[in-house]
Amino acid sequence: MNSNLNLLQPYPFQKLRELFDGVTHKAGLNPINLHIGEPKHATPDFIRQSVADHLNRLSHYPTTQGTPELRQSIADWVMRRFNLPAVNPDIEIIPVNGSREALFSFAQAVIDTTAKPAPYVVCPNPFYQIYEGAAFLGGASPQYINTTADKAFRLDFTQLPGTAWPRTQLIYVCNPNNPTGGVMSLDEWRQLFELSDRHGCIIAADECYSEIYFDENQPPLGALAAAHQLGRTGFPRLVVFNSLSKRSNVPGLRSGFVAGNAQILEKYLLYRTYHGCAMNPASQAASIAAWNDENHVLENRRLYTQKFSKATTMLSGATAAQMPDAGFYLWYKTPVSDTEFTKRLRRDYNVTVLPGSYLGREVRGVNPGENHVRIALVASLNECTEAIDRIKSLLNNLGYA
Ligand SMILES: Cc1ncc(COP(=O)(O)O)c(C=O)c1O
């Protein structure tokens, strides 16, 4: 077996199952699950219909690059959304089966394991677990940058010693961030691009939450837009990952894309041809319909905005929940340890959230996920309101009214 598999940690949901081992929950209270980042708003009818309408296409093998129509609709969306003058659908876009598989396989494609000293992959901490797994199985060591509330969840690149950067081949950033909800500023992008230029590292920008935000006049700045604004023609060493899963409430469609530097994507496409991960033709057709429509996305944001404003109003005072810049997670600071909080919330109130420490690693003496829980406001407004009510009862019981 590949010995790098031994480096993988149990996934956070496995750790959660272990935490709940032997924990019984109160009878009579319906369960409310806010631990998984799975969208629960209805899938728009026109997307479901489009899948059904194109089932006849299942009789053909799809190509790895996807249909020209799909790539064009993605390129058009990217240009509209990020105010870009031109994106070439033939060389700057590849459709992928959701951003997760692409975030993972990208590391296998770009990391040069023959490098001496052995390669590093930099990622934020806490983080979406795929980055770490991709680094390990790509033969690299992950290096973590702690992101904390006192620094507004900014990426402080100086945390890593200068000697780490020449070894760094790949940097994952998550923007908007899961779990903190932070959005990167143009200045952070400038710093990141400078590091990439100086040390030749590739940037993988995970933007799968880019369409979940709360002010229609302030969509999160994306990596391609930042590169364009800074005059970086051709997106040097930059690839972004996006997805319909959260934007269009279709996590089961498995549809996303990568966009960015054409030379990197050319090699990555070659890798994907062998990997065998072309998108199902019915999903491709439905994806075109989804990328071409913004009305359902506006409605989606309206529902999240309603829930976030309700939740943050309810959770105010000493144990206040902070409004994220974007995304659908409350990154909530707990007055007791995150695991204790999670266990009691489940046992006494039948609400499930995720301990923040499970999403982080202890680095330089601290696990920045500790004493936080990730609350995914994915359920209905009523359910989320009920869950926050129960969280308030727990806070009361703990002596934090
Ligand atoms: C930060 C982040 N990136 C990527 C993904 C993968 O999403 P998908 O594969 O559905 O596009 C998720 C899913 O929860 C996520 O939280």
Side-chain angles (χ1 to χ4, degrees):
M1 294 295 287
N2 183 341
S3 60
N4 288 334
L5 283 167
N6 301 329
L7 301 169
L8 298 181
Q9 291 218 7
Y11 215 66
F13 303 124
Q14 174 61 28
K15 293 184 185 174
L16 191 62
R17 275 191 288 279
E18 284 162 23
L19 179 74
F20 289 158
D21 225 12
V23 174
T24 50
H25 53 76
K26 211 178 209 119
L29 274 181
N30 63 311
I32 305 181
N33 294 325
L34 304 179
H35 56 299
I36 303 183
E38 179 183 68
K40 293 202 198 311
H41 300 164
T43 297
D45 281 343
F46 75 92
I47 301 180
R48 292 152 47 108
Q49 190 58 49
S50 183
V51 173
D53 289 347
H54 293 92
L55 290 176
N56 59 341
R57 295 200 186 165
L58 296 183
S59 53
H60 297 286
Y61 275 119
T63 61
T64 307
Q65 207 181 1
T67 62
E69 294 77 16
L70 174 57
R71 278 182 277 117
Q72 186 66 57
S73 71
I74 294 170
D76 289 344
W77 181 81
V78 170
M79 287 187 281
R80 277 196 307 275
R81 167 63 176 82
F82 298 109
N83 282 321
L84 299 174
V87 171
N88 187 330
D90 295 329
I91 55 174
E92 292 180 317
I93 301 280
I94 306 174
V96 298
N97 289 309
S99 51
R100 180 178 180 146
E101 64 90 354
L103 286 160
F104 181 81
S105 64
F106 190 66
Q108 323 301 305
V110 302
I111 292 171
D112 176 7
T113 49
T114 65
K116 296 268 179 305
Y120 282 164
V121 170
V122 168
C123 73
N125 186 31
F127 58 96
Y128 181 51
Q129 304 291 291
I130 301 307
Y131 312 149
E132 184 188 70
F136 280 139
L137 287 174
S141 315
Q143 304 292 310
Y144 309 90
I145 297 182
N146 293 345
T147 55
T148 51
D150 60 328
K151 300 265 166 60
F153 303 117
R154 297 286 155 243
L155 283 167
D156 170 11
F157 300 108
T158 64
Q159 280 180 27
L160 293 184
T163 50
W165 289 107
R167 295 177 64 169
T168 300
Q169 294 189 13
L170 176 64
I171 310 173
Y172 283 105
V173 291
C174 188
N175 177 61
N177 186 278
N178 169 8
T180 68
V183 168
M184 287 172 67
S185 64
L186 188 62
D187 195 51
E188 269 176 295
W189 283 114
R190 183 183 290 110
Q191 289 176 41
L192 186 54
F193 292 148
E194 276 169 18
L195 281 168
S196 163
D197 288 348
R198 201 170 327 136
H199 303 292
C201 28
I202 293 174
I203 301 167
D206 177 359
E207 302 196 337
C208 83
Y209 294 92
S210 70
E211 302 316 289
I212 314 293
Y213 54 92
F214 310 105
D215 179 348
E216 288 300 326
N217 296 315
Q218 290 204 325
L221 174 68
L224 298 180
H228 175 64
Q229 287 178 29
L230 295 169
R232 298 173 65 79
T233 311
F235 313 119
R237 288 178 300 282
L238 176 65
V239 174
V240 303
F241 298 71
N242 213 319
S243 164
L244 287 171
S245 300
K246 327 281 180 185
R247 172 188 182 272
S248 300
N249 299 311
V250 284
L253 190 67
R254 310 312 301 130
S255 177
F257 67 82
V258 297
N261 180 262
Q263 286 76 40
I264 297 174
L265 291 195
E266 186 185 3
K267 289 280 195 210
Y268 184 44
L269 181 64
L270 175 68
Y271 171 93
R272 291 180 69 79
T273 309
Y274 280 84
H275 192 59
C277 43
M279 193 190 298
N280 165 334
S283 295
Q284 291 198 44
S287 302
I288 295 174
W291 288 117
N292 285 345
D293 184 80
E294 284 305 320
N295 287 336
H296 73 286
V297 191
L298 273 167
E299 171 59 11
N300 200 27
R301 278 198 288 276
R302 189 187 66 76
L303 295 174
Y304 282 117
T305 304
Q306 210 178 26
K307 289 189 279 186
F308 272 86
S309 75
K310 180 94 191 203
T312 49
T313 307
M314 288 172 76
L315 277 174
S316 52
T319 53
Q322 302 304 321
M323 189 74 186
D325 292 341
F328 57 46
Y329 301 107
L330 277 180
W331 184 234
Y332 181 66
K333 190 162 175 11
T334 51
V336 295
S337 92
D338 52 324
T339 45
E340 182 61 19
F341 188 90
T342 302
K343 213 157 46 171
R344 289 185 65 159
L345 189 60
R346 164 78 160 217
R347 187 192 66 194
D348 300 339
Y349 299 99
N350 214 358
V351 173
T352 307
V353 296
L354 192 66
S357 55
Y358 293 178
L359 294 168
R361 300 287 178 262
E362 186 173 325
V363 177
R364 295 175 285 280
V366 55
N367 178 339
E370 251 170 24
N371 299 324
H372 285 80
V373 288
R374 192 188 75 175
I375 307 173
L377 291 189
V378 287
S380 67
L381 176 64
N382 279 349
E383 261 194 313
C384 288
T385 307
E386 172 66 29
I388 301 290
D389 251 335
R390 295 187 202 173
I391 288 174
K392 287 184 71 166
S393 302
L394 171 61
L395 290 168
N396 235 330
N397 272 348
L398 291 168
Y400 299 86

mmCIF file of all heavy atoms in Angstrom, residues 73 118 170 202 210 220 266 287 327 366:
data_model
loop_
_atom_site.group_PDB
_atom_site.id
_atom_site.type_symbol
_atom_site.label_atom_id
_atom_site.label_comp_id
_atom_site.label_asym_id
_atom_site.label_seq_id
_atom_site.Cartn_x
_atom_site.Cartn_y
_atom_site.Cartn_z
ATOM 1 N N SER A 73 -20.114 28.629 -21.569
ATOM 2 C CA SER A 73 -21.024 29.198 -20.555
ATOM 3 C C SER A 73 -20.252 29.497 -19.267
ATOM 4 O O SER A 73 -20.521 30.490 -18.590
ATOM 5 C CB SER A 73 -22.225 28.273 -20.290
ATOM 6 O OG SER A 73 -21.823 27.121 -19.602
ATOM 7 N N ALA A 118 12.566 18.030 -0.131
ATOM 8 C CA ALA A 118 11.220 17.560 -0.465
ATOM 9 C C ALA A 118 10.206 18.704 -0.424
ATOM 10 O O ALA A 118 10.361 19.646 0.351
ATOM 11 C CB ALA A 118 10.816 16.467 0.509
ATOM 12 N N LEU A 170 3.126 24.600 -3.950
ATOM 13 C CA LEU A 170 1.697 24.833 -4.134
ATOM 14 C C LEU A 170 1.145 25.496 -2.877
ATOM 15 O O LEU A 170 1.518 25.130 -1.756
ATOM 16 C CB LEU A 170 1.011 23.468 -4.357
ATOM 17 C CG LEU A 170 -0.506 23.428 -4.493
ATOM 18 C CD1 LEU A 170 -0.966 24.195 -5.737
ATOM 19 C CD2 LEU A 170 -0.981 21.965 -4.595
ATOM 20 N N ILE A 202 2.746 27.586 -7.233
ATOM 21 C CA ILE A 202 1.436 27.673 -7.884
ATOM 22 C C ILE A 202 0.376 27.949 -6.828
ATOM 23 O O ILE A 202 0.430 27.402 -5.720
ATOM 24 C CB ILE A 202 1.139 26.356 -8.641
ATOM 25 C CG1 ILE A 202 2.109 26.209 -9.817
ATOM 26 C CG2 ILE A 202 -0.303 26.289 -9.116
ATOM 27 C CD1 ILE A 202 2.022 24.883 -10.554
ATOM 28 N N SER A 210 -17.909 31.469 -3.349
ATOM 29 C CA SER A 210 -17.841 32.855 -3.835
ATOM 30 C C SER A 210 -19.214 33.493 -4.049
ATOM 31 O O SER A 210 -19.335 34.714 -4.049
ATOM 32 C CB SER A 210 -17.044 32.929 -5.139
ATOM 33 O OG SER A 210 -17.769 32.334 -6.205
ATOM 34 N N PRO A 220 -17.614 39.009 -3.107
ATOM 35 C CA PRO A 220 -16.205 38.792 -2.765
ATOM 36 C C PRO A 220 -15.299 38.940 -3.988
ATOM 37 O O PRO A 220 -15.660 38.526 -5.091
ATOM 38 C CB PRO A 220 -16.178 37.345 -2.258
ATOM 39 C CG PRO A 220 -17.571 37.048 -1.837
ATOM 40 C CD PRO A 220 -18.463 37.881 -2.711
ATOM 41 N N GLU A 266 -3.149 23.078 -19.363
ATOM 42 C CA GLU A 266 -2.839 22.135 -20.447
ATOM 43 C C GLU A 266 -2.297 20.820 -19.854
ATOM 44 O O GLU A 266 -2.717 19.729 -20.211
ATOM 45 C CB GLU A 266 -1.819 22.768 -21.397
ATOM 46 C CG GLU A 266 -1.552 21.927 -22.615
ATOM 47 C CD GLU A 266 -0.449 22.503 -23.495
ATOM 48 O OE1 GLU A 266 0.151 23.534 -23.136
ATOM 49 O OE2 GLU A 266 -0.182 21.893 -24.557
ATOM 50 N N SER A 287 -25.544 21.918 -16.257
ATOM 51 C CA SER A 287 -24.610 22.933 -15.746
ATOM 52 C C SER A 287 -24.667 24.196 -16.604
ATOM 53 O O SER A 287 -24.557 25.315 -16.092
ATOM 54 C CB SER A 287 -23.180 22.393 -15.735
ATOM 55 O OG SER A 287 -23.120 21.237 -14.944
ATOM 56 N N GLY A 327 -19.952 33.136 2.684
ATOM 57 C CA GLY A 327 -20.055 31.705 2.980
ATOM 58 C C GLY A 327 -21.267 31.417 3.853
ATOM 59 O O GLY A 327 -21.992 32.340 4.231
ATOM 60 N N VAL A 366 -0.425 25.998 18.919
ATOM 61 C CA VAL A 366 -1.857 26.314 19.020
ATOM 62 C C VAL A 366 -2.645 25.670 17.875
ATOM 63 O O VAL A 366 -2.162 25.596 16.742
ATOM 64 C CB VAL A 366 -2.076 27.856 19.074
ATOM 65 C CG1 VAL A 366 -1.439 28.545 17.892
ATOM 66 C CG2 VAL A 366 -3.551 28.221 19.144
#
